[in-house]
Amino acid sequence: MNRAGVDPELAALRGELIERAAADQRARAELDPVAPTPEQWATVHGVDEDNVRWFAPIVAVHGWPGRRTVGVDGAHAAWVLAQHAPAPYRACWLPKLRAAVANRDAAPRDLAYLADRVATDQQRPQHYGTQWLRLGTEAAGRLYPLHRPAEVNLARADIGLDPLPDSAIEAAYSSFAEITAATRGGSR
């Protein structure tokens, strides 16, 4: 540790996580909200690919970069990178984030979003209602299927997420078969 009490390597890791998460968010903010162009998506995919190439070895060697290592903002930035990584990486990293949350080294909210994302990747119902699907020009989209629709707001309250409106819960897709039927012949 240096005289200020901060390990320079950990400070650099924190800074890189925050910088990469900011680049991720900038690329997504530049997507046309109605009709993103292929070039805009190529930019997003390029940022995501670069982030995975950098982040995957860190998690493989050192585990989940939690609050104690990289601070609250660095740990949240790590979640941003994980959330936008390809599905196999998300599934691999979910237990690591779950263990960090159990050790109070990561935010339960971040775990809820990643757990729901992995569930929808695997065509399983989500628990917290964090994942939405917007088809075509649909304005708001609909929630992916919910594990227990009547209990989703209790699960959200347990981790500090605002409740979902009853109308959103009622409009949620009932199954992945319904999503498949809705997307058949169209683009997703």
Side-chain angles (χ1 to χ4, degrees):
M1 295 252 217
N2 65 18
R3 284 188 285 145
V6 175
D7 181 327
E9 288 181 29
L10 295 180
L13 175 59
R14 176 185 167 271
E16 186 72 15
L17 283 164
I18 292 168
E19 187 177 306
R20 286 176 175 276
D24 169 292
Q25 295 300 288
R26 276 193 306 276
R28 284 170 167 75
E30 292 173 6
L31 289 171
D32 182 309
V34 176
T37 66
E39 294 81 13
Q40 291 169 332
W41 276 117
T43 298
V44 168
H45 295 307
V47 169
D48 291 348
E49 288 170 7
D50 185 51
N51 284 340
V52 167
R53 272 193 301 277
W54 177 81
F55 189 58
I58 290 169
V59 177
V61 172
H62 302 287
W64 189 261
R67 296 172 175 167
R68 289 182 201 98
T69 307
V70 295
V72 172
D73 53 355
H76 181 70
W79 164 79
V80 170
L81 301 186
Q83 191 77 349
H84 295 144
Y89 286 97
R90 289 194 291 260
C92 178
W93 295 336
L94 179 60
K96 295 175 187 291
L97 177 55
R98 185 172 280 124
V101 169
N103 290 323
R104 296 186 174 161
D105 203 22
R109 292 166 65 110
D110 291 349
L111 176 60
Y113 276 85
L114 190 61
D116 277 359
R117 177 70 61 96
V118 170
T120 61
D121 288 341
Q122 298 171 351
Q123 295 197 353
R124 293 183 292 110
Q126 59 178 323
H127 288 267
Y128 299 97
T130 64
Q131 303 300 300
W132 297 71
L133 176 62
R134 189 177 83 170
L135 297 174
T137 58
E138 198 175 22
R142 292 170 59 188
L143 285 163
Y144 276 95
L146 298 166
H147 177 62
R148 291 187 174 142
E151 297 173 17
V152 70
N153 280 331
L154 294 173
R156 291 173 68 87
D158 283 346
I159 57 166
L161 289 173
D162 291 335
L164 292 169
D166 289 342
S167 59
I169 295 169
E170 291 164 7
Y173 288 99
S174 62
S175 67
F176 282 89
E178 181 184 2
I179 292 171
T180 300
T183 59
R184 188 166 291 134
S187 63
R188 198 175 142 175

